[in-house]
Amino acid sequence: MKKLAALCLAILTAACLTACRAGDGKLSIAMEMDGNYQPEDPFVNARLFCVRKDAAALDAEGAFEMEGDSALVEIKDKQADEVLWSRAWEGATARETFDIPLRDMEAGKEYVIEFTGTGIKHALVSVAFDGGLVEERARPESK
């Protein structure tokens, strides 16, 4: 019985570790919000990630769609609160994809993908990284 429990735990752990990985070896971090997600306006959602080793250049692919008034998506150094990349949208936006060039990413540092939106009825933000270099961490605490 203990062996079966250990095997089930190992399978569950492997499934959890690969749950966000696309079939092409990328790690996708996604946030989907609707008008009931958070009562504050503007509202903020964030996801935390880190890199496993230093990277002079880290290219990611982003996707965004929104039904709402405005949105800002930023990637920041969590500790320094330094913005490494940002993009803003106004009004309804059909799904679009874009490149996110990041430079001088350091192992051991935590980085945040942060979404700030007003009048949001629905929004979807996703960022796909090379799954071998990036890992998602637990949700960051509110500021």
Side-chain angles (χ1 to χ4, degrees):
M1 187 67 159
K2 288 182 183 180
K3 288 182 183 180
L4 180 59
L7 178 60
C8 289
L9 181 60
I11 291 170
L12 181 61
T13 301
C16 289
L17 291 173
T18 60
C20 292
R21 295 186 194 282
D24 57 3
K26 293 190 177 214
L27 172 72
S28 181
I29 299 173
M31 294 177 270
E32 187 166 11
M33 290 83 41
D34 64 26
N36 298 318
Y37 182 79
Q38 188 175 353
E40 293 89 22
D41 199 19
F43 71 68
V44 178
N45 193 3
R47 294 292 162 88
L48 185 65
F49 70 96
C50 65
V51 293
R52 291 185 174 104
K53 62 180 183 175
D54 290 350
L58 176 63
D59 294 322
E61 181 179 298
F64 181 81
E65 65 183 68
M66 175 180 73
E67 182 181 344
D69 296 336
S70 67
L72 174 66
V73 176
E74 298 176 311
I75 297 180
K76 299 178 177 182
D77 176 326
K78 183 179 180 231
Q79 301 310 88
D81 203 32
E82 174 189 359
V83 176
L84 306 174
W85 177 90
S86 71
R87 186 156 174 193
W89 290 266
E90 295 291 329
T93 304
R95 184 173 177 87
E96 64 177 79
T97 59
F98 45 88
D99 293 327
I100 302 173
L102 299 169
R103 303 294 174 250
D104 301 321
M105 306 296 282
E106 296 178 37
K109 276 192 170 184
E110 294 181 327
Y111 300 95
V112 175
I113 302 169
E114 188 173 276
F115 170 88
T116 306
T118 59
I120 301 300
K121 295 178 182 124
H122 179 262
L124 174 65
V125 178
S126 68
V127 179
F129 297 97
D130 173 0
L133 185 59
V134 175
E135 67 181 32
E136 185 172 7
R137 294 265 175 100
R139 183 183 171 117
E141 295 178 16
S142 302
K143 290 184 180 180

